[in-house]
Amino acid sequence: MKNYISSGSPKQTENLGRRLGELLCPGDNITLTGEFGSGKTLFTKGIARGIGIIRPEHVNSPSFVIAKEYDGDIKLYHLDLYRLNCTREIEYLGISEYLNGDGVVVIEWAERMKNILPVEYLNINIEITGKNKRRFWCGSHGGRYDNIISRYLV
Ligand SMILES: Nc1ncnc2c1ncn2[C@@H]1O[C@H](COP(=O)(O)OP(=O)(O)OP(=O)(O)O)[C@@H](O)[C@H]1O
Ligand SMILES: [Mg+2]
């Protein structure tokens, strides 16, 4: 079975995020990897819609803060680790305390925390395959995400 899903436009990417969000529960950890402008933030905005965040349009690149919290049916913790350089910095900021908590956690630039990743998480690696084309590669790390991925990739 292929373990990716394709998008042909920004709108479609947001919809893919929304559909994933609809499958998530509090405590789920999503890590997003992929180069600049691949669509991590747009996908996160879609996830926010899917989990019932009140103002999903407010989800943007958290430029000067590492973590932003959004309220809704389920809370969303949106982390962007781009500016962090080392594992020690990430540990110091207590990033891992967001994990497995009372909301869904979405981490952009999760490459930065590869030494201290959560035990269980769902990674989505976004590949740019054309001007407006993206491929979302899904990787389950921990049994409970196999189930989500199999429902997601239908
Ligand atoms: N199919 C597509 N899916 C997502 N974004 C697309 C697509 N086609 C074009 N784009 C454009 O790519 C950009 C994606 O921006 P976005 O901020 O979501 O990326 P990002 O991965 O979060 O970037 P950064 O690494 O700076 O955090 C937007 O300008 C969007 O319009
Ligand atoms: Mg971003």
Side-chain angles (χ1 to χ4, degrees):
M1 191 186 83
K2 74 173 171 63
N3 59 342
Y4 69 82
I5 198 158
S6 302
S7 161
S9 70
K11 186 80 223 161
Q12 229 177 324
T13 290
E14 214 179 317
N15 279 329
L16 287 179
R18 181 180 48 73
R19 221 162 54 66
L20 177 63
E22 286 166 358
L23 300 173
L24 299 177
C25 300
D28 281 337
N29 306 318
I30 310 297
T31 58
L32 300 180
T33 52
E35 60 188 279
F36 283 115
S38 52
K40 300 179 289 297
T41 300
L42 204 52
F43 189 74
T44 305
K45 195 178 277 197
I47 292 177
R49 287 193 199 287
I51 66 175
I53 292 302
I54 298 161
R55 298 230 171 273
E57 68 277 14
H58 287 184
V59 174
N60 57 15
S61 302
S63 312
F64 301 105
V65 289
I66 305 300
K68 276 192 180 172
E69 187 178 327
Y70 298 91
D71 281 322
D73 298 338
I74 301 175
K75 265 188 200 254
L76 171 67
Y77 299 102
H78 181 201
L79 278 62
D80 189 329
L81 306 184
Y82 178 66
R83 276 153 221 89
L84 302 185
N85 300 310
C86 63
T87 303
R88 210 183 321 142
E89 205 171 8
I90 292 170
E91 277 170 343
Y92 180 74
L93 290 167
I95 300 289
S96 56
E97 277 158 40
Y98 289 99
L99 302 168
N100 310 302
D102 61 344
V104 164
V105 179
V106 178
I107 309 174
E108 288 192 44
W109 288 100
E111 292 93 333
R112 299 277 194 270
M113 65 185 295
K114 58 177 178 291
N115 300 322
I116 51 164
L117 277 165
V119 178
E120 296 195 62
Y121 61 99
L122 166 55
N123 179 250
I124 310 248
N125 183 46
I126 312 177
E127 184 191 1
I128 301 182
T129 49
K131 187 170 177 289
N132 293 310
K133 293 199 180 121
R134 306 290 188 264
R135 233 174 231 183
F136 293 78
W137 294 89
C138 303
S140 165
H141 300 261
R144 66 184 172 137
Y145 296 108
D146 291 342
N147 181 275
I148 292 177
I149 291 179
S150 63
R151 285 186 291 150
Y152 187 51
L153 296 178
V154 286

